Amino acid sequence: MDKPYDVLVVGAGPAGLAAAGAAAFSGARIGLVDAQMQAGGQIWRYDVVQGVAAAAQVQLKSLAAKKNIEYLFGWRIVTIDSQKNLIAENLAGMRRLQWKKLILATGARELLLPFPGWTLPGVTGAGGLQALVKSGWPIAGKRVAVTGSGPLLLASAATLNAHHAQVVAIVEQASLSQVAMFAVLLPRWPTKLTQTLALKWSLRNIPCYYDAHVRAALGTSFLEAIEIDNGRSNTHVECDYLACGFGLVPNLELAQLLNCAMDDKIHPSIAVDDCQQTSESNIYAAGEICGIGGVEIAQIEGAIAGFTATSNTHKAIGLYSRRRRMYRFAAAVAHHFSITAKIRTLATPDTLICRCEDVPMSAVSNFDDARTAKLATRCGMGPCQGRICGSALAELRGFTRNFGRPPLFPVSLETLASAEVQPINQNQHETIR
Amino acid sequence: MNGSLHLRVNGIEVDVPIGASVAAAIARITPYCHRSPRGDLRGPLCGMGVCFECRVCVNGTAYVLACITSAQNGMEVTTDG
């Protein structure tokens, strides 16, 4: 068995990298584990064509100088054992990771919402298509529409543009006046203003629809066109891909397995105190799992967690004011780009809500929580374990989430057999929030 | 990174850049990865290893997520669509 890490960081995105870097100052033995083969997480994902993101390069360079960080890339955490050691697996086998302090930086995934045609191949998440393209998905010359809400749409369109896709429409559900009110606030955060202006300029020739949404994706076995509804008329736009960005939701499964307390929002996040400590002793959390806030907050929270976990409290406290300032930016984004009722009612009774098990919306109409709906309809029982439909039903219908049981991902029997996993505590998994 | 990797998708030879995902290799051959229980063809949705819509068989192992698995020389990838 491996020796315990003084600090084990889960997730090598902006929060996890900052946490590992801050913790490494102490000279302690740090482990940094991530399911991907390269550091960067989602937002700083390595790009097959363009290489490492500029912002990530700075962070990675400073980490490279620290010799007390061990990198465990390509290892996915699948469960925990009775001692709360993490069980990691890859195609070659399993590993048991022991720790004295644990920093969770598992990030977020996209909130994917159902509408007619959303199961057609070619319909993806906005960050999802960005990720696919950065990993070499051929997009050059393809017609792509981007829809949803918020600054992520611009970032996604810019990546697609840079990879020579033909972006045919950006469909923003917020009205032009809401976007303008947000833009007026931007000078308060100069780096954000510069980023947004640069994005807007790079996308200046792309048709933008405001106060509009995609009401349906059309096609027989692959996406062929979309219907854009701006409240007055429908516009038919032919496209090969539709990238949907309705926001992000935290990846809480591992934190939940470790018993970390969550808040009671529709899309819960991990409850932490000022120094990023969770309800569980020696477990810290940083970044998007503590609430969607963006890359700057993730880095600051990561550094605070890393410093606190290594008893460098003074340095952690020094970062509090910067974090507060960026919290105000996150609140402004959430306020101006919140999802409207129109988006929540696009799915028809025939629209599939659970893609894994082909369960239509009509089947869950008489339920109001994910667990009961699952038992009666198989909604959420497929391989994604309710990750997609659970968040969608929380958003659309206010369903309480059912976080499921270990293992967190389908896992080999060999791993399960050698992991000495904890017997399932029924109460723990039935009480969700 | 320069250079390319050589693998097979549904028996067809395909080259992808070093660092590319299995999904990127599949996309050069077919837009589909698997079929839903009722037989609908599906392709990648989340791109981040969450939704399982890109699951394929790699070297005989089922349920491999194509979007987060790095392509490697000599891989045999099979889709269900």
Side-chain angles (χ1 to χ4, degrees), chain A residues 327-378:
Chain A
Y327 279 158
R328 289 196 284 270
F329 174 75
V333 174
H335 175 72
H336 288 89
F337 296 99
S338 61
I339 290 168
T340 61
K342 267 181 270 178
I343 305 292
R344 294 199 194 91
T345 52
L346 290 173
T348 65
D350 307 336
T351 306
L352 296 182
I353 174 67
C354 172
R355 304 169 59 112
C356 294
E357 293 288 334
D358 286 336
V359 180
M361 280 300 281
S362 58
V364 299
S365 57
N366 292 329
F367 300 98
D368 55 14
D369 79 278
R371 187 175 160 76
T372 323
K374 175 177 171 178
L375 292 174
T377 69
R378 297 191 65 82

Side-chain angles (χ1 to χ4, degrees), chain A residues 106-272:
Chain A
T106 50
R109 54 175 170 260
E110 282 186 277
L111 173 64
L112 295 155
L113 298 177
F115 55 89
W118 79 305
T119 55
L120 280 170
V123 179
T124 68
L129 190 56
Q130 240 183 325
L132 288 165
V133 165
K134 287 182 179 179
S135 311
W137 186 277
I139 202 75
K142 301 286 186 190
R143 299 161 304 173
V144 188
V146 182
T147 188
S149 198
L152 177 66
L153 302 190
L154 301 183
S156 178
T159 299
L160 298 167
N161 223 2
H163 286 261
H164 310 292
Q166 184 193 344
V167 183
V168 292
I170 296 175
V171 186
E172 165 64 62
Q173 59 130 40
S175 65
L176 195 52
S177 64
Q178 275 170 292
V179 175
M181 279 190 282
F182 174 72
V184 167
L185 299 177
L186 274 177
R188 294 184 196 176
W189 305 278
T191 52
K192 288 292 171 191
L193 176 68
T194 323
Q195 280 170 16
T196 312
L197 287 177
L199 280 176
K200 264 311 250 184
W201 178 250
S202 76
L203 302 168
R204 64 195 175 280
N205 295 324
I206 296 169
C208 281
Y209 299 76
Y210 294 98
D211 205 2
H213 57 270
V214 172
R215 48 179 269 161
L218 311 170
T220 45
S221 58
F222 198 89
L223 179 69
E224 292 165 22
I226 55 171
E227 290 281 343
I228 299 171
D229 182 347
N230 69 356
R232 296 173 299 281
S233 60
N234 288 337
T235 312
H236 181 92
V237 175
E238 292 187 356
C239 56
D240 306 301
Y241 289 92
L242 172 63
C244 307
F246 294 107
L248 306 173
V249 289
N251 287 323
L252 298 181
E253 287 74 13
L254 178 58
Q256 186 262 349
L257 200 55
L258 289 159
N259 252 332
C260 297
M262 300 174 198
D263 62 27
D264 58 1
K265 297 197 191 88
I266 289 265
H267 303 295
S269 45
I270 300 301
V272 286

